[in-house]
Amino acid sequence: MFTRIVWLVLRKDLMVEIRSLEIAYTTIFFAVSCVLVFAFALVQEGRAPTDGAAGILWIAIAFSGTLALGRTFERERQAETLKALLLAPAARPAIYVGKLLGIIGLMAVTEIVLVPLVSLFFQAPFFTRPLWLAAVLLSGTIGFAAVGTLFAAMLVRARTRDVLLPVLLYPITVPVIIAGVRATAALLQPDLDAGIIQFWVALLVCFDVVFVTLALWTFEPVMTD
Amino acid sequence: MNPAPSDFEDLRVEDVSRHFGRRRAVSHVTFHAPRGSIVGLLGPNGAGKSTILSMLATLLRPSTGRILYGQCDSVVHGAALRGSIGVLGHDLFLYPELTARENLEFFAGLYALKQPGASADAALERAGLAHRAADPVSSFSRGMRQRVALERALIHDPRLLLLDEPFTGLDESSAARLLARLDSLRKQGTIVVLATHDLDLAEGLFDRAIFLRDGRMASAADRPASLRAMYREVMTHAHAAAAQGTEG
């Protein structure tokens, strides 16, 4: 039952997005603009600042992810369809997981565009260790989206939701961003220290477990009244 | 043994109040709705109609008082009761990017119906929109959307149907169609609670009318003969009483 509801919500979100492509286009456009602004500002005479790529990649992921979170729930607010989801006898944590997977998918698509772009502009050899890179990006994205999905759902009825979402989201996801930046920076070193990357990835997985568990636990009471 | 929450025979609202911070949205409202009855919630904007509907839908908890679905309290059995409640809000709860069939199939799945596709097709037949099943809801007129939304609210054959301003934006034929559907639901034994401003369309529809003002029950009447005249009289009295209270 739980997985069926997760699948229903995820499939519905994907169908709506494939029909409109509204969030994918705006998120990718925003992420690309963000990288371009950094490239114009920081790349001087074709030389990128050393160790800047990791930070810029994660800033672009965090900013575009916030935009995707806001737009995803704005869509549910416009026709009050979130209320319809909550009125169903379905387990509310399953609804949360369905929404979370949809946002992770959207952020993953954005990252597929972002990584080569940052690699190109900032001469960062991201693709020398693709499996490690995928592990860092996936674990970081899950942690960021887990907190963001909960907050975006909580704020959907607040008038100042667009302002409140980043104000609440960024302080809580600072550990995810730091771990993501550190792990990505370690990946870009000429001599790979697998121990360091393992440490940061393990930390990110711990954050994921804690944040997802907390969100599953709190989603039902938070959305009830 | 307690009956299953979905098997309730009547709905009882007992001295229910709801506060948002210091603001009182609903105050000491009491009414009873047996199976096969249509109850009207009538009152001006801000009278508390939508708040009462949200509490009946288990989306809000009463601050005081209780709502009983048969023997089951909404606070205790909220999640189990949701499978027996259908809601048609002022917003239609439909995804405009999806087709009518996809919308209905999605909600049939959420309500764990065994054959969501077949349920969606049957609902489209009842709505008279089988020929538009594959069209996105965004291409529908307000009346057509309302018909799909009503079938969405009824797709799981709920015992209790809650309607918030269901006549808004409907032309004469769509409104007549909705009234006929409500009458057939009454005959099937569904409890219908309907909030509306449209007294002309609701004339003769209600088995019980609850008149609300400022969150309080101003009056109630069984099968009111002339709804508009009664509404005017009740609201004039309530207004005079409120003015007297303020002066006092």
mmCIF file of all heavy atoms in Angstrom, chain A residues 139-158:
data_model
loop_
_atom_site.group_PDB
_atom_site.id
_atom_site.type_symbol
_atom_site.label_atom_id
_atom_site.label_comp_id
_atom_site.label_asym_id
_atom_site.label_seq_id
_atom_site.Cartn_x
_atom_site.Cartn_y
_atom_site.Cartn_z
ATOM 1 N N SER A 139 23.853 11.481 -2.554
ATOM 2 C CA SER A 139 23.641 11.577 -1.099
ATOM 3 C C SER A 139 23.376 13.025 -0.691
ATOM 4 O O SER A 139 22.529 13.281 0.176
ATOM 5 C CB SER A 139 24.826 10.987 -0.332
ATOM 6 O OG SER A 139 26.032 11.542 -0.798
ATOM 7 N N GLY A 140 24.061 13.974 -1.324
ATOM 8 C CA GLY A 140 23.825 15.392 -1.002
ATOM 9 C C GLY A 140 22.446 15.846 -1.440
ATOM 10 O O GLY A 140 21.743 16.556 -0.707
ATOM 11 N N THR A 141 22.033 15.410 -2.624
ATOM 12 C CA THR A 141 20.719 15.805 -3.148
ATOM 13 C C THR A 141 19.591 15.244 -2.283
ATOM 14 O O THR A 141 18.606 15.945 -2.005
ATOM 15 C CB THR A 141 20.570 15.311 -4.607
ATOM 16 O OG1 THR A 141 21.643 15.852 -5.368
ATOM 17 C CG2 THR A 141 19.256 15.750 -5.217
ATOM 18 N N ILE A 142 19.732 14.008 -1.837
ATOM 19 C CA ILE A 142 18.690 13.407 -0.992
ATOM 20 C C ILE A 142 18.546 14.209 0.308
ATOM 21 O O ILE A 142 17.428 14.540 0.726
ATOM 22 C CB ILE A 142 19.008 11.918 -0.693
ATOM 23 C CG1 ILE A 142 18.852 11.085 -1.965
ATOM 24 C CG2 ILE A 142 18.084 11.379 0.416
ATOM 25 C CD1 ILE A 142 19.318 9.648 -1.828
ATOM 26 N N GLY A 143 19.662 14.544 0.933
ATOM 27 C CA GLY A 143 19.610 15.297 2.195
ATOM 28 C C GLY A 143 18.955 16.653 2.010
ATOM 29 O O GLY A 143 18.073 17.048 2.790
ATOM 30 N N PHE A 144 19.363 17.369 0.949
ATOM 31 C CA PHE A 144 18.806 18.701 0.691
ATOM 32 C C PHE A 144 17.311 18.608 0.383
ATOM 33 O O PHE A 144 16.493 19.355 0.931
ATOM 34 C CB PHE A 144 19.555 19.334 -0.495
ATOM 35 C CG PHE A 144 19.150 20.740 -0.791
ATOM 36 C CD1 PHE A 144 19.704 21.806 -0.097
ATOM 37 C CD2 PHE A 144 18.194 21.015 -1.758
ATOM 38 C CE1 PHE A 144 19.315 23.109 -0.363
ATOM 39 C CE2 PHE A 144 17.805 22.313 -2.025
ATOM 40 C CZ PHE A 144 18.371 23.361 -1.331
ATOM 41 N N ALA A 145 16.946 17.659 -0.485
ATOM 42 C CA ALA A 145 15.537 17.541 -0.894
ATOM 43 C C ALA A 145 14.652 17.030 0.244
ATOM 44 O O ALA A 145 13.475 17.397 0.331
ATOM 45 C CB ALA A 145 15.428 16.610 -2.102
ATOM 46 N N ALA A 146 15.207 16.195 1.134
ATOM 47 C CA ALA A 146 14.408 15.653 2.248
ATOM 48 C C ALA A 146 13.910 16.776 3.148
ATOM 49 O O ALA A 146 12.723 16.830 3.501
ATOM 50 C CB ALA A 146 15.234 14.656 3.050
ATOM 51 N N VAL A 147 14.836 17.687 3.507
ATOM 52 C CA VAL A 147 14.442 18.818 4.354
ATOM 53 C C VAL A 147 13.559 19.782 3.561
ATOM 54 O O VAL A 147 12.526 20.260 4.048
ATOM 55 C CB VAL A 147 15.685 19.580 4.871
ATOM 56 C CG1 VAL A 147 15.281 20.703 5.802
ATOM 57 C CG2 VAL A 147 16.611 18.633 5.593
ATOM 58 N N GLY A 148 13.960 20.040 2.326
ATOM 59 C CA GLY A 148 13.231 21.002 1.498
ATOM 60 C C GLY A 148 11.797 20.584 1.220
ATOM 61 O O GLY A 148 10.882 21.420 1.246
ATOM 62 N N THR A 149 11.575 19.303 0.974
ATOM 63 C CA THR A 149 10.214 18.829 0.683
ATOM 64 C C THR A 149 9.311 19.027 1.896
ATOM 65 O O THR A 149 8.163 19.458 1.772
ATOM 66 C CB THR A 149 10.248 17.334 0.279
ATOM 67 O OG1 THR A 149 11.136 17.197 -0.816
ATOM 68 C CG2 THR A 149 8.872 16.831 -0.120
ATOM 69 N N LEU A 150 9.856 18.733 3.077
ATOM 70 C CA LEU A 150 9.058 18.905 4.305
ATOM 71 C C LEU A 150 8.699 20.377 4.506
ATOM 72 O O LEU A 150 7.538 20.718 4.746
ATOM 73 C CB LEU A 150 9.844 18.381 5.509
ATOM 74 C CG LEU A 150 9.134 18.527 6.853
ATOM 75 C CD1 LEU A 150 7.905 17.646 6.922
ATOM 76 C CD2 LEU A 150 10.082 18.189 8.010
ATOM 77 N N PHE A 151 9.712 21.247 4.377
ATOM 78 C CA PHE A 151 9.467 22.684 4.611
ATOM 79 C C PHE A 151 8.536 23.270 3.543
ATOM 80 O O PHE A 151 7.659 24.071 3.849
ATOM 81 C CB PHE A 151 10.781 23.458 4.657
ATOM 82 C CG PHE A 151 11.533 23.290 5.940
ATOM 83 C CD1 PHE A 151 12.860 23.665 6.043
ATOM 84 C CD2 PHE A 151 10.924 22.757 7.070
ATOM 85 C CE1 PHE A 151 13.565 23.513 7.227
ATOM 86 C CE2 PHE A 151 11.604 22.596 8.252
ATOM 87 C CZ PHE A 151 12.928 22.979 8.331
ATOM 88 N N ALA A 152 8.756 22.885 2.305
ATOM 89 C CA ALA A 152 7.912 23.429 1.224
ATOM 90 C C ALA A 152 6.452 23.015 1.426
ATOM 91 O O ALA A 152 5.540 23.808 1.193
ATOM 92 C CB ALA A 152 8.423 22.945 -0.132
ATOM 93 N N ALA A 153 6.232 21.780 1.890
ATOM 94 C CA ALA A 153 4.852 21.330 2.156
ATOM 95 C C ALA A 153 4.263 22.088 3.342
ATOM 96 O O ALA A 153 3.102 22.494 3.314
ATOM 97 C CB ALA A 153 4.836 19.827 2.431
ATOM 98 N N MET A 154 5.078 22.297 4.372
ATOM 99 C CA MET A 154 4.612 23.027 5.558
ATOM 100 C C MET A 154 4.210 24.462 5.220
ATOM 101 O O MET A 154 3.256 25.004 5.766
ATOM 102 C CB MET A 154 5.737 23.105 6.602
ATOM 103 C CG MET A 154 5.825 21.934 7.527
ATOM 104 S SD MET A 154 7.385 21.991 8.427
ATOM 105 C CE MET A 154 7.261 23.531 9.298
ATOM 106 N N LEU A 155 4.993 25.065 4.309
ATOM 107 C CA LEU A 155 4.812 26.493 4.023
ATOM 108 C C LEU A 155 3.815 26.768 2.904
ATOM 109 O O LEU A 155 3.597 27.928 2.548
ATOM 110 C CB LEU A 155 6.166 27.114 3.635
ATOM 111 C CG LEU A 155 7.213 27.178 4.743
ATOM 112 C CD1 LEU A 155 8.556 27.591 4.173
ATOM 113 C CD2 LEU A 155 6.790 28.149 5.834
ATOM 114 N N VAL A 156 3.211 25.719 2.363
ATOM 115 C CA VAL A 156 2.412 25.902 1.150
ATOM 116 C C VAL A 156 1.245 26.871 1.371
ATOM 117 O O VAL A 156 0.813 27.557 0.452
ATOM 118 C CB VAL A 156 1.948 24.530 0.611
ATOM 119 C CG1 VAL A 156 0.794 23.957 1.391
ATOM 120 C CG2 VAL A 156 1.616 24.597 -0.852
ATOM 121 N N ARG A 157 0.747 26.962 2.615
ATOM 122 C CA ARG A 157 -0.372 27.869 2.869
ATOM 123 C C ARG A 157 0.072 29.220 3.412
ATOM 124 O O ARG A 157 -0.752 30.099 3.644
ATOM 125 C CB ARG A 157 -1.373 27.217 3.823
ATOM 126 C CG ARG A 157 -2.250 26.190 3.134
ATOM 127 C CD ARG A 157 -3.280 25.641 4.081
ATOM 128 N NE ARG A 157 -2.681 24.752 5.056
ATOM 129 C CZ ARG A 157 -2.646 23.424 4.931
ATOM 130 N NH1 ARG A 157 -3.167 22.863 3.891
ATOM 131 N NH2 ARG A 157 -2.092 22.676 5.853
ATOM 132 N N ALA A 158 1.395 29.387 3.639
ATOM 133 C CA ALA A 158 1.895 30.662 4.184
ATOM 134 C C ALA A 158 2.004 31.695 3.070
ATOM 135 O O ALA A 158 2.432 31.372 1.954
ATOM 136 C CB ALA A 158 3.246 30.447 4.847
#
